Amino acid sequence: MPSMPKITVNAQRVSDELEKLARFSDHDYPAVTRIIFTENDIKARDYFKSLAREAGLHVREDSIGNIFVRLGDESALGAIGTGSHCDAVPHAGRFDGTVGVFGGLEALRALKTAGFQPKRPIEVVFFTSEEPTRFGIGCIGSRIMSNTIALDKVAALRDKDGLSFDEARGSAGYKGTVESAILPKGYYDYFVELHIEQGPVLEREKKQIGIVTGIAAPASFRIHFTGEGGHAGGVLMPARKDALVPCAILIQEAERLAKASPSPDTVATVGVVKVHPGAINSIPAKATVEFDIRDIRLETRDAVVTAVKTLAKRLADERGLKVEIEDINSDPPAVSDETILKVAEAATETRGYSHMRLPSRAYHDSLFIARIAPMGMIFVPSKSGYSHRSDEYTSPEEIGRGVEILAQTMAELSLR
Ligand code: HGY
Ligand code: MN
Ligand code: MN
Ligand code: MN
């Protein structure tokens, strides 16, 4: 039985690489805006691949831009996978996703340096399009890999300029059929993602490592109202069919419902509202409001979703508006695999790192890989719980501890 070597992680190297990566951004440091298949996303990809090749690891890419970096030879056994994303929402931080990609690479480098011989291959994935920014739905890469999104839905995806997912990936040099990116059965035996917590719990509880028990279930949808436009002065109030006012009512009601939910984990967010014609002195003729509603439990999440949609229809009736409800996604939560959690906890015990179990309220690519393999996640703390903001921060020491636990956990799993 191959033995477990002493694994030494170079935390400063990962941190330096993340600082360099953070400069591949549409906005000034420390803000990171990195939209899928744009120039800065491609720079991030090239940088990651160059480091992987420098480390003598095998690199391959699929037709939709997922990048796979592998340690170990082909095996009849499934691989041990890790990975995350490097695309970033506008004005995000520099650690969301990237810690799991570059930390995953460091874990493979550390295992290779230690001369570890895995019984199964170990690979880190740079997932394509985890954020919903460009195409409106998150985790496109992992949804396709796990065959959990209809291919005609992928073909119908358009960005704000009307460019399709296929045209965008093609412009970044990714050819071939989307279907070819679907992973064969048994591709992974285990999948473990390293990520920043994006919440305040580890810091509040003074824990160094989070052992993630499950991933919240996200649902998102758009509500389109169509009324009549008109002059802001000439149309008196009783005669109006204002398409934006019902959006405002829905936004307030969604907040009220989430706060009133019996589950403390119910969250409702509206981050996007579009108005046409969008002039200060024109009555909105059309308006779209986008909802992101989540919970660890499906029933309390769906209670809010249903109530918001029901109210939208009632408001449209009362106000003589047209309403269209466009579902984007409604995903079930994922539960982590107990074997992975126990192996990760044992690794923290070996190193004497404080740890705790907690759920992930953000979603991740692991939410979809969990459909095709036993999944687990390892969290490292986020300063003040900040994320999707430029002052997101996790220290090199905290990242280093997460990479050590990831490397140890994957090595143990690869020997099973
Ligand atoms: O929205 C999320 O939970 C993730 O950051 N895409
Ligand atoms: Mn994110
Ligand atoms: Mn993320
Ligand atoms: Mn303990």
Side-chain angles (χ1 to χ4, degrees), residues 229-230 242-244 273-288:
D242 186 321
L244 184 55
V273 177
K274 293 177 186 148
V275 186
H276 175 82
I280 186 169
N281 55 351
S282 292
I283 301 166
K286 289 186 177 165
T288 293

Side-chain angles (χ1 to χ4, degrees), residues 284-296:
K286 289 186 177 165
T288 293
V289 52
E290 299 192 354
F291 289 88
D292 175 315
I293 298 172
R294 309 183 190 196
D295 199 327
I296 308 283

Side-chain angles (χ1 to χ4, degrees), residues 1 4 55 70 76 78 89 93 97 99-100 113 150 164 199 202 216 219 241 244 251 255 298 317 319 331 334 350 355:
M1 174 82 154
M4 282 304 300
R70 190 165 262 221
V89 300
V99 163
T113 307
S164 69
L202 291 178
K241 293 191 186 312
L244 184 55
I251 292 168
E255 181 192 56
L298 270 184
D317 285 347
R319 294 163 172 265
D331 300 303
T350 314
H355 60 92

Side-chain angles (χ1 to χ4, degrees), residues 96 130-131 198 294 362-363 388:
D96 172 9
E130 192 271 353
E131 295 293 5
Q198 299 179 296
R294 309 183 190 196
Y363 64 72
H388 283 196

Side-chain angles (χ1 to χ4, degrees), residues 275-411:
V275 186
H276 175 82
I280 186 169
N281 55 351
S282 292
I283 301 166
K286 289 186 177 165
T288 293
V289 52
E290 299 192 354
F291 289 88
D292 175 315
I293 298 172
R294 309 183 190 196
D295 199 327
I296 308 283
R297 290 163 39 195
L298 270 184
E299 63 280 8
T300 39
R301 179 196 74 182
D302 290 348
V304 174
V305 171
T306 305
V308 168
K309 290 178 177 179
T310 306
L311 177 58
K313 290 174 196 151
R314 181 160 64 79
L315 289 170
D317 285 347
E318 287 166 359
R319 294 163 172 265
L321 304 173
K322 237 173 95 258
V323 65
E324 186 214 335
I325 296 173
E326 179 192 356
D327 283 320
I328 301 168
N329 66 292
S330 174
D331 300 303
V335 178
S336 299
D337 174 76
E338 190 57 28
T339 302
I340 296 176
L341 300 188
K342 285 206 169 57
V343 169
E345 280 171 332
T348 59
E349 297 290 347
T350 314
R351 284 176 168 73
Y353 295 157
S354 58
H355 60 92
M356 66 180 285
R357 290 193 174 204
L358 75 168
S360 172
R361 295 187 169 95
Y363 64 72
H364 306 280
D365 290 303
S366 292
L367 178 63
F368 299 97
I369 302 301
R371 311 275 187 85
I372 57 169
M375 172 283 295
M377 288 190 77
I378 296 164
F379 272 173
V380 287
S382 292
K383 181 178 75 60
S384 312
Y386 292 164
S387 185
H388 283 196
R389 3 188 315 178
S390 60
D391 52 359
E392 180 183 84
Y393 184 72
T394 299
S395 72
E397 298 72 25
E398 289 166 331
I399 294 169
R401 282 192 283 272
V403 176
E404 277 178 27
I405 301 304
L406 175 68
Q408 178 84 32
T409 302
M410 293 199 293

Side-chain angles (χ1 to χ4, degrees), residues 20-62:
K20 179 172 175 184
L21 177 70
R23 270 70 179 185
F24 303 141
S25 166
D26 300 348
H27 291 112
D28 295 341
Y29 181 91
V32 176
T33 301
R34 195 180 296 129
I35 307 304
I36 190 70
F37 300 136
T38 62
E39 186 192 347
N40 282 308
D41 178 42
I42 293 164
K43 282 182 183 166
R45 291 164 180 277
D46 291 344
Y47 180 46
F48 174 68
K49 287 183 281 185
S50 68
L51 294 176
R53 289 190 177 109
E54 248 169 60
L57 295 165
H58 178 265
V59 179
R60 78 172 178 88
E61 297 182 83
D62 68 14

